[in-house]
């Protein structure tokens, strides 16, 4: 009509009708009818327009918010974690608060602090808590309360204290891989241990009368309040020592090492019926007693000699503790005399757990002669007896002990991960000979801070990729009993699920940091240590603290006894360190059952004493809170550094897509170990050809290099797919947000996004402790529960995932349709995305399987050194790559069966046999890790 009017005005013609007159109605022709689209086509057009609009607005939204995307992409592990969850509501607020990867590490590192570590130390180290005692049980329940409080674990009505072997105890561990929320409990084992009754040490006259009686207890006063109060709370005795009495002449055997006894034999010194006096150092104390026993001695005395304290001695001008940093002359080193290199754990249940009703043996790893630890003050009197011109009178020793079954308490906690059947174990022992401010309470204080840090992450919504298992072991001091009994109890479960074991014994006894571990974890350990700042020197890292001298270095006199210095250098040489600076694990702490019986890659670390540190009164009442705060770690900065280091190890092992296990470095170390064996063989004049074994190591190295390539490709593929899945979810979510924004402009309500709704019915009340079970579906793993006898066992299952997702989509579609036109349009908008998500999920599952296969090979690498027949004469130890030295105890021997065939047996046939065993193991391991 407008066009006709305009055309009319542009000509000279008169209008058809006058402006003030209306045409007759029938004079105007009816307008032409516009072509109508079919209803189906109109709906399709509307759908296309709707989807296009949403996509356009999503694009605009992403461009406007690209900074948020960059922030999320910078969070290592974010995409993988998001891909592992389906159906969980994802909000931008949560994205920014939940830490992942490096952000999680930063959050964790901000938690441990000196004040909290100091408070924990005072909680655990100001009263005695000998294994099996009332004080020990108190620390077990204190640690349980810590786990419950920091990990958000509900406190059950009945205290979760379970007798080992019971349904509750076994189900607590075997059910770990089915857990959805953190939990904690206490396992009770029943080993045979001893406690002191009465003891005495005397010099007898020719008439048999006592002319001197030793004061066996330590002497302390109120200068050190706890030491003064508890000086005689735990008598000075040897754990697992033989009860009995003995009389005989005194013979000095230096450090009681094998070479010391051999030297006495060479001099014609007869030890039959003698009382052997040895000093601490060089080897594990139980092996000093073993050496004396094998040569017919009647008893053994072991004392602490200040000559072994380096330069911090009274001779060099230092005051004795508690007035100064030198040794208190009445200090006594308690400790176990178990034959550690034979087997650890309960002596009466070798290789199987110590239940209350277990069948028991006599025990072959404990002495048959009595022994006592004594002080330097007492040793001086005895040494005067046997020095040139001394009377060398008869010595009488009494050691009455009570051997009995004593309960011990392992406190356990679990943080379930997305991958619930891969487990990282973190352990620290809790029992002490008296207060143990250093051993083990410095480690317990650091573990306390690790748990606080993990708890803080949980409160922010973090969940580890793998399950984390935390253990506070008991009765370590008697002979690694708590950890060994649990390891023997659940050996099959550990073998199947545990990917690594991180041990912490004492955190701080001095100023020099050291770290040891399986060679496959050497790079991992160094990297973590280089991440943590040096506790006392700005600009340096914790790794640099390996070179620290004691604070008294060069302060006053520098005299260091020649014999003691030589032994100290021998001890350092026994602590084999690779070219990276990481030591080899021997024994003496709770990693032993994991590494050397089951084959789990393990670590251990802490600050130890140098010969210019204040004297550490090991296993003495003077290992007190005052000494720790005054001399070992003023300010508790080292405690915090160790906590951060252990926490980083835990996070990086738990959250790494591919386990940070370097098998190639391990293979290279095997080559070096064999170099040492060849040198020993040449020295011993044994003609053995090791070329075939060398070829097997080379083949293992090649297989490991191929595995390196496979693990890199598998990780890259999985991360890329995880990122794509997470981005698709973000697109859907933000497109919905954009659409809601548009509707709000026109004052229209925004329908609830049903697709992003959690997987539970509307109105269903979600228990806060069951939220993950109701909301989160791990993509890597579906767990179904099977029952075998009285124990729940779980296994991964992926087959339900597609069906569950399909059912969920159908349910949501029905809900959307019931919601009306808006819900229907929302359903149509998601269909295209669903099809893409489905294809990505299938690819993701296949990539996840590939990564899991790689991780299984990496975790199983250490298992490849386990031989069922073990090491000759000490078959409990099954690891043919490393074991505690047969006559060292603490120190490590690499390729132990082969090495000992040369050093102790000097037998060519046995050497060839052991070389063949190693060759077979290496060949099998190379085949197993081939991609």
């Amino acid at each position: 009509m407008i066009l006709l009017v305009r055309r009319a005005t542009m000509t000279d013609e008169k209008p058809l009708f006058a402006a003030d007159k209306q045409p007759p109605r029938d004079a105007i022709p009816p307008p032409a009818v516009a072509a109508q689209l079919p209803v189906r086509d109109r709906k399709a057009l509307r759908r296309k327009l709707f989807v296009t609009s949403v996509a356009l607005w999503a694009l605009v939204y992403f461009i406007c918010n690209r900074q948020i995307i960059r922030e999320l992409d910078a969070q290592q592990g974010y995409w993988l974690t998001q891909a592992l969850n389906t159906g969980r509501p994802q909000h931008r607020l949560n994205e920014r608060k939940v830490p992942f990867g490096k952000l999680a590490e930063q959050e964790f590192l901000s938690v441990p602090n000196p004040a909290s570590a100091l408070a924990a130390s005072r909680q655990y180290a100001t009263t005695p808590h000998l294994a099996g005692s009332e004080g020990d049980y108190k620390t077990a329940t204190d640690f349980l309360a810590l786990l419950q409080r920091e990990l958000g674990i509900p406190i059950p009505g009945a205290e979760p204290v379970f007798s080992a072997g019971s349904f509750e105890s076994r189900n607590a561990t075997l059910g770990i891989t089915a857990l959805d929320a953190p939990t904690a409990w206490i396992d009770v084992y029943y080993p045979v241990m001893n406690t002191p009754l009465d003891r005495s040490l005397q010099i007898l006259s020719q008439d048999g009368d006592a002319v001197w009686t030793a004061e066996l207890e330590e002497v302390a006063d109120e200068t050190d309040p706890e030491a003064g109060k508890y000086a005689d709370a735990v008598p000075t005795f040897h754990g697992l020592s033989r009860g009995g009495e003995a009389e005989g002449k005194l013979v000095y055997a230096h450090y009681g090492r094998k070479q010391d006894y051999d030297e006495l034999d060479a001099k014609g010194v007869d030890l039959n019926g003698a009382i052997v006096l040895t000093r601490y150092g060089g080897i594990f104390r139980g092996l000093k007693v073993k050496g004396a026993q094998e040569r017919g001695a009647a008893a053994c005395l072991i004392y602490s000699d200040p000559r072994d304290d380096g330069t911090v001695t009274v001779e060099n001008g230092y005051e004795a503790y508690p007035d100064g940093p030198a040794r208190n002359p009445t200090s006594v080193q308690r400790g176990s005399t178990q034959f550690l290199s034979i087997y650890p754990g309960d002596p009466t249940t070798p290789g199987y757990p110590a239940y209350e009703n277990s069948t028991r043996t006599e025990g072959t790893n404990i002495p048959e002669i009595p022994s006592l630890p004594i002080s330097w003050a007492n040793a001086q009197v005895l040494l005067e007896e046997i020095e040139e011109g001394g009377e060398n009178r008869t010595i009488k020793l009494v050691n009455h002990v009570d051997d009995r079954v004593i309960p011990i308490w392992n406190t356990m906690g679990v943080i379930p991960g997305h991958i619930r059947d891969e487990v990282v174990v973190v352990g620290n022992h809790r029992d002490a000979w008296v207060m143990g401010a250093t051993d083990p309470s410095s480690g317990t204080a650091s573990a306390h801070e690790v748990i606080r840090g993990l708890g803080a992450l949980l409160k922010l919504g973090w969940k580890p990729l793998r399950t984390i298992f935390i253990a506070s072991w008991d009765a370590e001091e008697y002979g690694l009993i708590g950890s060994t009994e649990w390891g023997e109890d659940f050996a099959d479960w550990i073998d199947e699920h545990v990917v690594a074991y991180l041990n912490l014994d004492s955190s701080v006894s001095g100023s020099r940091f050291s770290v040891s571990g399986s060679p496959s974890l050497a790079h991992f350990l160094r990297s973590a240590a280089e991440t943590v700042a040096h506790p006392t020197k700005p600009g340096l890292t914790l790794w640099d603290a390996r070179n620290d001298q004691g604070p008294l270095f060069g302060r006053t006199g520098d005299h260091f006894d020649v014999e003691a210095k030589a032994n100290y250098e021998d001890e350092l040489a026994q602590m084999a360190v690779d070219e990276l600076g990481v030591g080899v694990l021997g024994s003496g702490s709770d990693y032993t059952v994991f590494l050397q019986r089951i084959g789990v890659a393990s670590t251990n670390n802490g600050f130890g004493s140098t010969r210019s540190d204040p004297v550490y009164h090991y296993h003495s009442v003077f290992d007190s809170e005052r000494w720790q705060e005054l001399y070992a770690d003023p300010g508790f900065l080292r405690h915090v550094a160790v906590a951060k280091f252990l926490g980083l190890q835990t996070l990086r092992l738990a959250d790494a897509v591919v386990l940070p296990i370097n098998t190639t470095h391990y293979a290279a170390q095997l080559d070096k170990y064999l170099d040492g064996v060849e040198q020993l063989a040449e020295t011993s004049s044994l003609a053995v050809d090791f070329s075939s074994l060398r070829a097997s190591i080379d083949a293992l190295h090649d297989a490991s290099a191929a595995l390196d390539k496979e693990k890199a490709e598998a990780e890259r593929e999985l991360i890329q797919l995880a990122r794509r899945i997470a981005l698709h979810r973000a697109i859907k979510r933000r497109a919905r947000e954009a659409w809601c924004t548009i509707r709000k402009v026109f004052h229209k309500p925004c329908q609830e996004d049903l697709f992003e709704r959690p997987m539970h019915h509307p109105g269903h009340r979600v228990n806060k402790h069951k939220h993950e079970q109701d909301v989160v579906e791990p993509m890597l793993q579906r767990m179904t529960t099977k029952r075998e006898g009285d124990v729940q066992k779980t296994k991964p299952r992926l087959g339900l995932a597609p069906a569950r997702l399909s059912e969920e989509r159908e349910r949501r579609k029905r809900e959307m349709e019931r919601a009306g036109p808006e819900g229907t349009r929302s359903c149509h908008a998601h269909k295209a995305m669903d099809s893409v998500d489905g294809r990505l999920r299938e690819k993701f599952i296949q990539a996840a399987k590939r990564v899991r296969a790689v991780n299984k090979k990496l975790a199983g690498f250490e298992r490849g050194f386990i031989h069922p027949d073990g090491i000759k004469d000490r078959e409990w130890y099954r690891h043919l790559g490393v074991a505690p030295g047969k006559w060292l105890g603490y120190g490590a021997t690499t390729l132990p069966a082969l090495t000992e065939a040369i050093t102790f047996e000097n037998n060519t046939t046995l050497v060839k046999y052991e070389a063949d065993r190693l060759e077979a193991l290496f060949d099998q391991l190379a085949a197993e890790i081939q991609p």
Side-chain angles (χ1 to χ4, degrees):
M1 179 67 73
I2 295 173
L3 180 61
L4 293 175
V5 172
R6 292 187 62 184
R7 283 180 178 175
T9 58
M10 293 173 62
T11 65
D12 295 332
E13 297 180 4
K14 294 181 179 180
L16 190 61
F17 299 104
D20 57 345
K21 292 185 179 180
Q22 295 295 327
R25 184 177 300 272
D26 55 1
I28 301 174
V33 178
Q36 296 286 328
L37 290 173
V39 174
R40 182 179 301 175
D41 291 342
R42 288 202 305 272
K43 289 182 178 180
L45 180 60
R46 289 172 183 169
R47 284 197 300 269
K48 291 179 180 178
L49 290 173
F50 177 81
V51 172
T52 302
S53 300
V54 170
L56 179 61
W57 277 105
L59 178 62
V60 172
Y61 192 83
F62 264 100
I63 293 173
C64 294
N65 292 276
R66 59 187 180 275
Q67 180 60 35
I68 295 176
I69 297 299
R70 282 198 295 267
E71 291 175 1
L72 295 178
D73 204 13
Q75 299 181 40
Q76 181 182 354
Y78 169 77
W79 302 115
L80 181 62
T81 308
Q82 297 305 298
L84 289 171
N85 296 306
T86 60
R88 184 174 185 172
Q90 304 292 329
H91 303 293
R92 286 195 308 173
L93 181 62
N94 287 340
E95 289 168 5
R96 295 191 179 193
K97 284 190 174 181
V98 177
F100 302 96
K102 295 298 182 185
L103 293 183
E105 291 181 10
Q106 293 170 12
E107 290 286 350
F108 171 86
L109 292 174
S110 70
V111 175
N113 67 78
S116 177
L118 175 60
S121 179
R122 291 175 176 175
Q123 177 184 5
Y124 288 96
T126 51
T127 56
H129 48 287
L130 180 69
S133 69
E134 183 179 342
D136 181 39
Y137 179 73
K138 173 65 166 55
T139 63
T141 56
D142 285 350
F143 203 88
L144 177 67
L146 168 71
L147 292 169
Q148 291 170 335
R149 179 178 68 250
E150 298 298 332
L151 305 185
I153 300 170
I155 300 175
E159 199 167 44
V161 180
F162 309 138
S163 178
S166 67
F167 166 78
E168 292 82 4
S169 171
R170 293 195 59 74
N171 198 53
T173 292
L174 296 180
I176 285 173
T177 53
L179 290 175
D180 294 301
T183 188
W185 72 96
I186 295 174
D187 275 331
V188 188
Y189 286 90
Y190 300 88
V192 169
M193 302 190 299
N194 66 342
T195 51
L197 295 174
D198 58 277
R199 302 148 338 284
S200 66
L201 178 63
Q202 298 174 323
I203 298 176
L204 304 180
S205 68
Q206 291 182 351
D207 298 329
D209 297 328
V211 296
W212 174 78
T213 299
E215 174 57 60
L216 295 178
E217 302 307 332
E218 297 168 296
V219 180
D221 59 29
E222 64 277 2
T223 307
D224 186 326
E226 281 83 27
K229 182 176 181 180
Y230 297 113
D232 58 356
V234 180
T236 56
F237 80 109
H238 278 147
L240 300 178
S241 62
R242 176 69 62 178
E245 303 180 8
E247 293 184 18
K249 297 297 183 179
L250 195 66
V251 176
Y252 178 62
H254 296 275
Y255 291 103
R257 300 165 298 188
K258 184 179 183 299
Q259 59 264 38
D260 294 324
Y261 288 118
D262 289 343
E263 186 176 336
L264 289 173
D265 289 341
K267 292 178 179 179
V269 178
D270 185 6
L271 295 184
N272 276 305
I275 307 293
V276 172
L277 176 65
T278 72
R279 65 204 251 194
Y280 277 112
I283 63 173
F284 184 68
R285 74 184 67 78
L287 299 181
K288 300 174 189 284
V289 180
K290 185 175 186 289
Q293 172 184 305
E294 291 180 350
R295 287 161 176 81
C300 186
L301 299 169
I302 313 176
Y303 75 97
S304 301
D305 195 318
R307 290 180 293 173
D308 295 300
D309 294 333
T311 62
V312 187
T313 62
V314 173
E315 180 184 2
N316 279 332
Y318 293 99
E319 293 288 331
Y321 187 80
D323 300 317
R327 177 174 298 280
N328 184 301
T330 73
S331 67
V332 178
Q333 182 188 137
R334 299 160 183 80
S336 174
T337 50
Q338 177 192 74
F339 301 163
L340 183 61
S341 59
I342 305 302
Y343 64 89
D346 173 29
T348 67
T349 59
Y352 58 95
Y355 296 160
E356 191 170 16
N357 60 351
S358 288
T359 301
R360 301 183 185 272
T361 69
E362 288 297 317
T364 59
N365 72 333
I366 49 178
E368 296 177 0
I369 61 173
S371 67
L372 281 176
I374 62 173
S375 67
W376 168 237
N378 288 330
Q380 282 179 291
V381 176
L382 297 176
L383 289 169
E384 289 174 0
E385 276 291 307
I386 58 175
E387 67 183 10
E388 187 174 351
E391 297 183 52
N392 197 14
R393 291 167 286 192
T394 299
I395 307 298
K396 181 179 179 180
L397 176 151
V398 174
N399 180 49
H400 292 154
V401 295
D402 184 11
D403 297 311
R404 68 188 191 279
V405 173
I406 299 176
I408 62 171
W409 303 276
N410 289 337
T411 304
M412 315 292 207
V414 178
I415 304 173
H418 292 287
I419 308 173
R420 292 177 287 186
D421 64 344
E422 292 181 7
V423 182
V424 176
V425 180
V426 184
N428 161 251
H429 83 89
R430 192 188 64 255
D431 64 297
W433 283 113
V434 193
M435 276 95 65
T438 290
D439 185 11
S441 297
S442 63
T444 304
S446 293
H448 178 278
E449 295 305 283
V450 172
I451 292 167
R452 287 182 59 246
L454 296 176
L457 289 176
L458 289 173
K459 291 178 179 66
L460 292 175
W462 169 83
K463 181 176 182 178
L465 189 60
R466 292 178 182 84
T467 294
I468 298 172
F469 181 99
I470 301 166
S472 175
W473 307 116
D474 203 356
E476 188 270 357
E477 297 294 1
Y478 273 88
L480 323 182
I481 293 178
S483 58
T484 299
E485 298 313 306
W486 186 81
E488 291 174 340
D489 200 359
F490 297 102
D492 291 342
W493 185 89
I494 294 169
D495 180 54
E496 183 178 357
H497 297 297
V498 175
V499 299
Y501 174 69
L502 309 178
N503 189 65
L504 182 61
D505 199 307
S506 301
S507 284
V508 188
S509 65
S511 61
R512 179 172 292 168
F513 181 70
S514 64
V515 58
S516 299
S518 299
S520 59
L521 293 173
H523 285 88
F524 165 76
L525 288 168
R526 179 164 179 169
S527 174
E530 289 176 336
T531 304
V532 178
H534 192 291
T536 60
K537 298 178 180 178
L540 299 179
T541 69
L542 182 59
W543 184 253
D544 296 319
R546 296 177 309 109
N547 301 315
D548 284 4
Q549 298 287 350
L552 304 178
F553 182 72
R555 289 282 184 92
T556 56
D558 60 357
H559 174 71
F560 191 171
D561 180 81
V562 175
E563 186 180 46
K565 186 175 183 180
N567 179 66
Y568 177 60
E569 291 172 351
D570 286 345
E571 289 180 348
L572 292 178
Q574 291 170 13
M575 298 173 60
V577 177
D578 67 12
E579 60 270 22
L580 293 175
V582 175
V584 181
L585 292 171
S587 187
S589 197
D590 292 303
Y591 54 78
T592 300
V593 69
F594 291 92
L595 175 62
Q596 287 146 352
R597 184 164 178 86
I598 303 173
V600 176
S602 302
T603 71
N604 191 51
N605 62 269
F607 281 89
S609 295
T610 71
R611 290 305 184 258
S612 52
D613 272 299
V615 174
Y616 167 39
H617 297 77
Y618 184 48
H619 291 177
S620 161
V621 73
F622 299 115
D623 181 9
S624 64
E625 186 64 24
R626 177 184 182 270
W627 183 85
Q628 179 64 239
E629 294 182 26
L630 182 62
Y631 287 118
D633 191 15
F636 269 55
L637 299 175
R638 294 189 180 100
H639 284 73
V640 172
V642 171
K644 290 179 177 181
F645 178 58
L646 180 61
L648 281 181
Q649 292 179 62
T650 304
L651 289 176
R652 291 180 178 183
L653 273 166
D655 283 345
V657 176
V658 171
L659 290 168
I661 292 176
N662 189 328
T663 59
T664 304
H665 181 68
Y666 205 143
Q669 293 307 112
L670 291 174
D671 217 33
K672 292 179 174 17
Y673 299 164
L674 186 55
D675 289 343
V677 167
E678 288 182 333
Q679 292 175 7
L680 286 174
E682 290 176 6
T683 304
S684 302
S685 301
L686 293 176
V688 181
D689 182 7
F690 294 106
S691 59
S692 182
L693 178 57
R694 180 83 66 182
S696 292
I697 293 175
D698 291 342
L700 180 60
H701 192 282
D702 292 342
S704 180
L707 180 60
D708 288 342
K709 182 179 179 181
E710 168 65 10
K711 70 183 184 184
E713 293 176 354
E715 180 177 22
R716 183 167 54 252
E717 179 188 23
L718 184 66
I719 289 294
Q720 288 175 348
L721 288 168
R723 186 180 188 280
R724 289 176 62 190
I725 289 174
L727 282 173
H728 275 278
R729 290 185 182 171
I731 290 171
K732 288 187 286 187
R733 180 177 65 255
R734 295 183 181 183
R736 175 60 182 169
E737 291 173 355
W739 178 245
C740 286
T741 301
I742 295 171
R743 293 186 61 80
K744 287 176 182 177
V745 170
F746 295 99
H747 305 289
K748 292 187 177 183
C750 185
Q751 187 72 21
E752 178 189 1
D753 188 355
L754 298 172
F755 187 84
E756 299 292 343
R757 180 181 296 174
M759 290 187 178
H760 55 270
H761 295 293
H764 175 65
R765 184 177 181 180
V766 181
N767 185 307
K768 64 179 180 179
H769 304 298
K770 300 286 287 180
H771 180 73
E772 293 292 333
Q773 179 177 354
D774 293 337
V775 175
V776 180
E777 290 187 335
M779 287 292 294
L780 284 179
Q781 174 185 15
R782 294 291 181 264
M783 307 301 298
T784 59
T785 301
K786 288 190 174 183
R787 297 187 66 92
E788 294 186 7
D790 291 331
V791 180
Q792 289 186 341
K793 287 191 175 181
T794 59
K795 68 175 185 178
R797 183 174 177 184
L798 288 167
L800 289 176
R804 287 281 298 276
L805 290 170
S806 177
E807 291 174 4
E808 188 63 23
R809 291 193 196 99
E810 291 298 321
R811 180 183 67 78
R812 287 173 175 166
K813 179 180 177 181
R814 291 193 298 270
E815 290 183 354
M816 291 174 187
E817 289 173 347
R818 285 197 298 270
E822 176 63 27
T824 303
R825 285 194 295 270
S826 179
C827 178
H828 292 322
H830 288 303
K831 281 184 177 179
M833 292 295 184
D834 283 348
S835 63
V836 174
D837 272 1
R839 290 194 298 271
L840 282 177
R841 286 191 187 102
E842 290 302 318
K843 290 181 179 179
F844 181 79
I845 290 172
Q846 295 305 313
K849 288 180 178 179
R850 184 183 181 188
V851 167
R852 281 172 67 84
V854 167
N855 283 334
K856 189 172 183 62
K857 291 176 180 179
L858 292 171
F861 188 82
E862 197 84 42
R863 313 285 203 274
F865 297 97
I866 298 297
H867 194 288
D869 295 340
I871 301 171
K872 183 180 180 295
D873 297 331
R874 48 198 187 115
E875 287 75 16
W876 188 92
Y877 290 97
R878 296 177 174 176
H879 199 297
L880 299 191
V882 66
K886 187 174 183 177
W887 282 102
L888 296 176
Y890 289 135
T893 296
T894 55
L895 304 183
L898 178 58
T899 298
E900 290 166 9
I902 299 170
T903 55
F904 297 130
E905 305 292 338
N906 199 30
N907 184 316
T908 302
T909 302
L910 183 59
V911 171
K912 290 180 178 178
Y913 168 75
E914 294 297 350
D916 289 342
R917 281 211 298 168
L918 280 172
E919 184 179 337
L921 278 183
F922 295 162
D923 288 345
Q924 181 179 350
L925 183 53
E928 289 175 352
I929 67 171
Q930 283 287 352

